Amino acid sequence: TASHSRNRLTDVMLRSESVAWIVQKVLGIKDTTHSPMFGSFEGFPPLLINFGTAELLEDEARHVAEKAQRQGVDVTTIVGEHLL
């Protein structure tokens, strides 16, 4: 997503290369369609999604929150401006 480029120098916890390595090697996920971004949130309990605008995964967090809300989940989103 765009936040991988936009926040590549501000996120001190993650690097794009690290995310890809973690997904493939640590989690053993070869097919990223198993990500929550592509799954269903129908029937989920309320969610709290907390992220900062300096994170690599900022856009993914926003996407998950919006998708869950569209599917009827009560979602609380806390966004930390310029935070990780």
Side-chain angles (χ1 to χ4, degrees):
T1 61
S3 62
H4 283 248
S5 296
R6 181 177 63 250
N7 296 334
R8 76 184 182 286
L9 300 177
T10 58
D11 191 329
V12 297
M13 299 294 288
L14 290 175
R15 296 284 178 243
S16 291
E17 303 79 28
S18 300
V19 172
W21 186 87
I22 290 167
V23 168
Q24 292 179 2
K25 303 293 184 187
V26 176
L27 299 178
I29 299 172
K30 305 255 187 284
D31 179 5
T32 57
T33 59
H34 290 31
S35 162
M37 287 181 48
F38 304 110
S40 173
F41 291 93
E42 291 181 22
F44 263 58
L47 293 175
L48 170 63
I49 301 177
N50 187 1
F51 63 93
T53 61
E55 294 184 32
L56 280 182
L57 301 178
E58 174 192 359
D59 291 344
E60 285 84 348
R62 291 181 189 279
H63 176 82
V64 166
E66 291 166 4
K67 183 173 183 177
Q69 285 176 324
R70 283 194 309 272
Q71 294 181 0
V73 178
D74 178 20
V75 178
T76 300
T77 304
I78 300 172
V79 182
E81 294 296 321
H82 310 293
L83 299 177
L84 297 176

